[in-house]
Amino acid sequence: MDEATAAPAAADPGAPDAPRIRPKARRSRAGGLEGVLVVDKPIGPTSHDIVGLVRRLSGTRRVGHGGTLDPFAGGVLPLFLGRATRLAEYHLGGSKSYRATVCFGAASTTDDLEGELTPADGPAPDRAALEAALPAFRGPIEQRPPDYAAVKVAGRRAYAIARSGGTPDLRPRTVTIEELELLEWDGTDPERPIAVLAVTCSAGTYVRAIARDLGRQLGSAAYLGALSRTRSGAFSLADAVTVDALRAAAADGPDGLRAVLLPVDAGLELPAIELDQAAVADVIRGRAVRAGERAAEVPEGVPCRLVDPTGRLVALGVRRADRIHPDKVLVEVEP
């Protein structure tokens, strides 16, 4: 799907121009590596397949991803290894960017190329009509998820209802389209023109629903023919590693992946509070500590990164009044 979801860690981002530093990865005491791995997912395998591959190559059981890509889609797939899985939830709300191919002249049962196609009743649009329609889809809009979606309706997945011949009762929800621009237009076949769009949208947006709704808005029909995610939160394709490069890096064992791992807090757009060594020792043990002058600049209740004097992430916490309360502690007490 093209909605951002997180894979459970046990079962199976910084600004876009943040420095691409790849420091040495740590090995977790629980076994395996820990850190963030940005993969350039190829077309074909599922996101779960990529998680499984990284598990095997890294010797790490705890691996999760930060947003599903359907098998026909490719591009940026952030993976979280070891204790980084505990921070994955903070990446899910970030916006995402795509290069989307929209095929006009037919509707799809799944709103993408994998569904059954039905020719449109009305004529396909021309380039001018499409460009005139795009502004109405920018900003906050109401979007109905596709029938073949993973969202639940009365306890059942929508796609399960659709596959059994039913029509899931899916209510529209508000999403935000930050960017929707025409990159390419192919009108070689005027009955089935193809548009390539640049899309930047909020988490939870279905790009295939944008294609579907564009077709309807223009008195025709359309479906998503191809999709590449170019950015997920702070991570872009420039940060991503191909599957072939992963295999080559791991050829001599899991430790070969250290060079392509980012630190566990890579891409987190959270304020940082530096703690002295005494406060670090308390936080590691789950104790609240007094907030210093710098902490006063952090709004109460907002998650923040608690780092030691060297900049190492110790925990995530929140400030309440004059004290900082640790929430997720990422450093173990030394024996």
Side-chain angles (χ1 to χ4, degrees), residues 16 33 41 57-58 64 66 80 119 162 204 247 261 264 266 273 290 313 318:
L33 299 176
K41 176 192 167 302
L57 294 179
S58 66
F80 306 95
R247 293 183 184 278
L261 274 178
V264 294
I273 298 175
R290 291 194 177 277
L313 180 68
V318 293

Side-chain angles (χ1 to χ4, degrees), residues 26-32 34 83 332-335:
R26 296 180 57 212
R27 181 168 285 280
S28 169
R29 289 185 180 182
E34 57 184 27
R83 275 173 279 198
E332 298 174 351
V333 178
E334 294 294 335

